[in-house]
Amino acid sequence: MAEDTSAWDLKYTNLDRIRQHRYEVAVIPVGAVEAHNHHLPEGMDVIHTEYVARESCRRAWEQSQSIICLPAIPFGVDCNLLAFPLTIHVSQKTLDAYLTEIIQSLRKHGLRKIVILNGHGGNDFKPLARQIQYELDVHVFVCDWWKVGKEIYDTLFGKGDDHGGAMETSAAMVLCPECVELDKAGPGTTPPFRFEALRQGWIYTSRDFSKLNDHCSASSNVAPDADKGRQYLELVCGRISRFLAELAASPIDTAFPLQTDSNTP
Ligand SMILES: [Zn+2]
């Protein structure tokens, strides 16, 4: 292992290594523990989000030795999935308070560029980013990682593919093939909304997943495929790692994060 390989990973690095670097960017992965159809692990959102965070930080570190990846926060907002046994719910309010104190700690250590890497659709960190930038001298960037390659998502995994569906199964076949029990998978078929506005997506409501089907999934009918999972994860990690490296290299001047004549390369 090269000398500084693990210096980007807060879970595995140590004080001696930390003191040799000046960290500019912190990445906080956030997942969830919830039912994922019958065939995927409950911790799926932790598994894929931690992977995307670690792989993106590992690659970005090659460009800039100033990025630190925090351990993943395992629990998320899951009140609408609680009908499924051992799904764990933490309110957005609690999650925001928890993240606020983590970000306050990072700020105390001089870190002002914070990336929240979210892997669960029930979590929403945009209001937190707005609020905490007003209260603390930090810049918070929020990424829902599964949306990063949205222009190819439908082509690879089918329109309407969602929780516990083709994308997540394909990713799981790459990241933890031993914990995918495909023969147990339910179809993920869901009844449509009765209102056109909700079907078109310009009105939002929270879905109680126990009304969708008995296996807690909303999937397309596209078959999962490890190659597609690999392709999507590669695209996502490539894009996020490039962003992290750019973010690390960019000074926090008065216009940050906007582009102006004075900071255009
Ligand atoms: Zn998931």
Side-chain angles (χ1 to χ4, degrees):
M1 196 181 275
E3 196 188 341
D4 278 334
T5 318
S6 67
W8 50 268
D9 191 333
L10 187 56
K11 189 157 67 173
Y12 292 104
T13 194
N14 57 37
L15 181 59
D16 183 61
R17 283 171 181 269
I18 288 170
R19 282 187 165 145
Q20 293 172 38
H21 295 93
R22 184 182 148 74
Y23 292 96
E24 282 280 326
V25 176
V27 177
I28 311 173
V30 190
V33 173
E34 57 186 0
H36 269 85
N37 205 323
H38 285 138
H39 67 293
L40 292 177
E42 300 280 309
M44 195 64 239
D45 292 6
V46 184
I47 295 167
H48 54 47
T49 307
E50 200 161 49
Y51 170 81
V52 170
R54 297 185 82 247
E55 181 60 15
S56 301
C57 288
R58 186 189 68 77
R59 294 184 192 191
W61 182 264
E62 290 169 13
Q63 315 292 315
S64 171
Q65 285 76 52
S66 61
I67 291 153
I68 192 76
C69 184
L70 274 62
I73 296 168
F75 302 116
V77 179
D78 264 299
C79 40
N80 55 331
L81 279 74
L82 275 177
F84 295 92
L86 289 183
T87 287
I88 307 293
H89 165 61
V90 172
S91 73
Q92 188 67 53
K93 197 170 140 194
T94 302
L95 212 49
D96 285 354
Y98 194 62
L99 273 164
T100 297
E101 295 191 12
I102 293 168
I103 294 169
Q104 283 169 338
S105 302
L106 293 167
R107 178 68 191 92
K108 187 167 171 48
H109 300 304
L111 276 138
R112 295 174 61 204
K113 301 170 192 167
I114 315 292
V115 177
I116 300 175
L117 192 77
N118 177 41
H120 170 59
N123 300 338
D124 179 4
F125 296 110
K126 287 182 196 161
L128 173 71
R130 205 172 288 128
Q131 185 70 26
I132 205 165
Q133 288 186 174
Y134 163 71
E135 291 173 357
L136 293 178
D137 184 22
V138 293
H139 295 271
V140 176
F141 303 87
V142 180
C143 176
D144 293 330
W145 77 257
W146 69 95
K147 297 177 183 169
V148 169
K150 62 179 184 222
E151 79 279 11
I152 63 162
Y153 189 106
D154 289 357
T155 309
L156 289 177
F157 306 114
K159 205 166 170 48
D161 181 68
D162 194 350
H163 176 73
M167 190 284 280
E168 280 197 290
T169 305
S170 303
M173 290 161 83
V174 178
L175 302 177
C176 54
E178 68 287 352
C179 58
V180 181
E181 298 184 74
L182 259 189
D183 55 323
K184 294 183 179 164
T189 315
T190 63
F193 285 117
R194 68 179 66 173
F195 305 107
E196 193 185 356
L198 275 79
R199 291 197 298 274
Q200 288 181 349
W202 54 270
I203 295 282
Y204 165 82
T205 190
S206 173
R207 297 167 298 178
D208 176 345
F209 269 66
S210 68
K211 293 182 183 173
L212 300 183
N213 50 49
D214 70 350
H215 48 283
C216 199
S217 174
S219 183
S220 68
N221 56 8
V222 170
D225 180 305
D227 285 340
K228 289 182 182 179
R230 212 169 280 116
Q231 185 185 339
Y232 198 65
L233 289 167
E234 174 61 32
L235 176 82
V236 167
C237 293
R239 285 183 178 173
I240 295 175
S241 64
R242 282 192 290 280
F243 168 69
L244 294 177
E246 283 174 27
L247 184 60
S250 179
I252 300 182
D253 51 27
T254 50
F256 185 86
L258 303 181
Q259 188 157 300
T260 62
D261 291 342
S262 62
N263 62 29
T264 303

